[in-house]
């Protein structure tokens, strides 16, 4: 089993990156007579349903609400920079903003995952409650401020499926030696289960499944998974997963570009992100059920639940992995303590709220 100190070894790189943030290049947004032109990078394939189209809606809303004073041109993953180079491109001012998932930036600081998704973590409603009303947004701004950035929640997927597997999973033993695409802190959980986690952007997943580079993958849910065609290679589809009760997207902004905006344009940007933060997650709810029917009825996908021993052990390990972020530094500790308290309260209330209602509805 991986030792606690080994897991934390990567934290130093993030701390070094953070300490140098003040020296990061400052964006100089194109501006003429009070009009601004920004570039938005995304971590998603072009026209990707949900996150990708949601990013475009943010850009369109900002232009409309600002009466054209702030225009944003969107670039999909790979058009200007690869998906996983987005953070540095925005930090260095090569683009003013980006739409992505904060758990892609664990190499900067492992606490970035708290603002996207954590294994055994929060649902979409609970996550938004912590961000907006539990102190999460202030902590997020403090963390990203170390890198010359600011960010706002800008979407979410809801509870994600456990993933696509080329072979049937009947017990925890079947996870041993499995090579699976998995991002964020959940990747460490998978490694401690005896599997091998591999992270890669959306465009690389299907070729990797086909070639045998990976044996399984999680992505999002039926709507997006159908579009990417995973059913052609991996016939076993399990859900829900332990890893993402919600995958929250972010609108990441270069701090200098943000501060160059007048207050009314800042309010428009925040408002557009918040509108889409609520919009994308409901779009997923609306489309996932229909897509699941297509997968089952047309493509004969075998849908099931992960075995109880897999889920139980995954949630047990998740608690350890998430808690270890508190050992990195002061900001990591404060983010963990704030999130952990909120999660404990949410779990205590859940039987009287969504969980209890859903359980009763299924009886």
């Amino acid at each position: 089993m991986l030792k606690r100190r080994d897991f934390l070894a990567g934290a130093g790189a993030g701390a070094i990156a953070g300490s140098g943030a003040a020296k990061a290049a400052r964006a100089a947004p194109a501006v003429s007579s009070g009009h601004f032109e920004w570039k938005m990078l995304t971590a998603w394939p072009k026209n990707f349903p949900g996150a990708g189209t949601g990013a475009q809606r943010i850009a369109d809303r900002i232009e409309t609400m600002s009466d054209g004073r702030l225009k944003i041109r969107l670039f999909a993953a790979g058009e200007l920079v690869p998906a996983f180079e987005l953070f540095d491109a925005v930090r260095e001012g090569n683009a003013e903003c980006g739409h992505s998932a904060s758990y892609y930036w664990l190499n900067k600081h492992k606490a970035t995952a708290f603002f996207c998704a954590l294994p055994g973590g929060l649902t979409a409603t609970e996550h938004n409650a912590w961000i907006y009303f539990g102190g999460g947004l202030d902590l997020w701004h403090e963390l990203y401020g170390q890198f010359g950035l600011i960010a706002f929640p800008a979407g979410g997927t809801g509870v994600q499926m456990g993933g696509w597997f080329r072979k049937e999973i009947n017990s925890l033993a079947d996870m041993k030696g499995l090579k699976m695409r998995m991002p964020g802190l959940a990747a460490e959980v998978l490694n401690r289960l005896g599997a091998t986690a591999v992270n890669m952007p959306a465009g690389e997943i299907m070729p990797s499944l086909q070639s045998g580079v990976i044996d399984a993958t999680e992505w999002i849910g039926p709507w997006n998974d159908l579009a990417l065609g995973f059913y052609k290679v991996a016939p076993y589809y399990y859900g829900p997963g332990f890893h993402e009760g919600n995958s929250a997207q972010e609108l990441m902004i270069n701090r200098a570009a943000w501060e160059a905006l007048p207050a009314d344009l800042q309010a428009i940007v925040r408002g557009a992100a918040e509108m889409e933060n609520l919009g994308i997650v409901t779009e997923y709810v609306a489309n996932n059920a229909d897509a699941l029917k297509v997968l089952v009825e047309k493509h004969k996908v075998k849908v099931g639940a992960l075995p109880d021993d897999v889920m139980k052990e995954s949630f047990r390990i998740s608690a350890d992995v998430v808690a270890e972020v508190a050992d990195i530094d002061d900001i990591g500790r404060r983010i963990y303590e704030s999130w952990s308290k909120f999660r404990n309260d949410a779990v205590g209330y859940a039987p009287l709220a969504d969980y209890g209602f859903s359980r009763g509805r299924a009886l």
Side-chain angles (χ1 to χ4, degrees):
M1 179 175 291
L2 188 64
K3 299 295 185 183
R4 186 181 182 92
R5 62 178 177 274
D6 296 325
F7 169 61
L8 294 174
I16 293 171
S19 67
K23 301 178 181 178
R26 295 296 186 179
V31 57
S32 175
S33 302
H35 287 68
F36 297 79
E37 295 181 3
W38 280 11
K39 294 187 289 292
M40 179 192 290
L41 309 177
T42 82
W44 327 116
K46 191 174 182 63
N47 298 320
F48 186 70
T53 53
Q56 185 63 63
R57 285 194 296 262
I58 292 172
D60 293 342
R61 283 195 183 105
I62 289 171
E63 182 170 349
T64 299
M65 291 191 294
S66 70
D67 196 23
R69 290 169 56 213
L70 175 53
K71 296 182 179 181
I72 300 180
R73 184 179 177 188
L74 186 145
F75 296 88
E79 290 187 329
L80 287 185
V81 300
F84 289 167
E85 294 180 17
L86 185 156
F87 186 99
D88 285 334
V90 176
R91 179 177 65 86
E92 294 166 2
N94 296 320
E96 288 77 16
C97 63
H99 192 265
S100 57
S102 66
Y103 64 7
Y104 289 157
W105 322 128
L106 294 185
N107 64 322
K108 307 301 181 183
H109 197 294
K110 287 186 168 64
T112 58
F114 282 77
F115 307 104
C116 178
L118 292 169
L122 302 172
T123 66
T125 300
E126 292 165 349
H127 179 82
N128 283 329
W130 175 61
I131 290 291
Y132 290 127
F133 299 104
L137 188 59
D138 288 341
L139 289 165
W140 193 359
H141 287 172
E142 182 179 349
L143 178 64
Y144 270 36
Q146 297 179 17
F147 301 94
L149 298 167
I150 190 170
F152 300 97
T157 64
V159 177
Q160 294 201 0
M161 292 290 284
W164 296 84
F165 295 76
R166 298 181 63 138
K167 69 174 187 177
E168 194 170 5
I169 303 298
N170 294 307
S171 71
L172 186 59
D174 292 326
M175 298 294 292
K176 306 294 184 182
L178 201 71
K179 293 176 293 182
M180 184 174 182
R181 188 265 179 190
M182 181 73 76
L185 293 180
E188 178 59 28
V189 177
L190 200 65
N191 290 336
R192 296 187 193 187
L193 285 174
T196 299
V198 181
N199 194 14
M200 60 183 64
E204 297 179 15
I205 300 175
M206 186 61 173
S208 297
L209 267 178
Q210 291 173 318
S211 65
V213 170
I214 55 176
D215 307 305
T217 184
E218 69 79 44
W219 179 230
I220 296 177
W223 184 33
N224 287 153
D225 295 358
L226 173 63
L228 291 180
F230 298 141
Y231 62 87
K232 299 174 184 177
V233 183
Y236 299 99
Y237 196 28
Y238 294 103
F242 71 91
H243 58 299
E244 297 184 36
N246 177 50
S247 180
Q249 289 109 42
E250 63 179 356
L251 178 64
M252 173 200 303
I253 305 170
N254 178 281
R255 191 81 190 210
W258 171 255
E259 292 174 351
L261 294 179
D264 65 325
L265 289 185
Q266 289 183 347
I268 286 172
V269 171
R270 286 197 305 268
E274 186 168 332
M275 290 171 68
E276 201 56 41
N277 187 49
L278 300 175
I280 294 179
V281 69
T282 52
E283 187 177 24
Y284 274 104
V285 172
N287 285 286
N288 275 334
D290 288 340
L292 184 63
K293 291 179 183 177
V294 174
L295 288 168
V296 172
E297 296 172 6
K298 181 178 179 179
H299 299 297
K300 310 304 178 186
V301 170
K302 301 176 182 68
V303 180
L306 287 166
D308 288 346
D309 61 345
V310 173
M311 293 296 282
K312 183 176 181 179
E313 186 67 0
S314 297
F315 276 98
R316 186 191 68 78
I317 296 173
S318 294
D320 292 339
V321 168
V322 173
E324 288 168 4
V325 177
D327 292 342
I328 294 174
D329 56 15
D330 178 67
I331 183 66
R333 175 186 57 78
R334 288 188 287 114
I335 290 172
Y336 170 75
E337 289 177 352
S338 171
W339 178 91
S340 181
K341 180 183 183 303
F342 191 94
R343 181 188 179 278
N344 289 339
D345 291 343
V347 169
Y349 182 63
L352 304 176
D354 290 4
Y355 171 71
F357 183 83
S358 296
R359 184 174 178 272
R361 191 171 58 181
L363 293 176

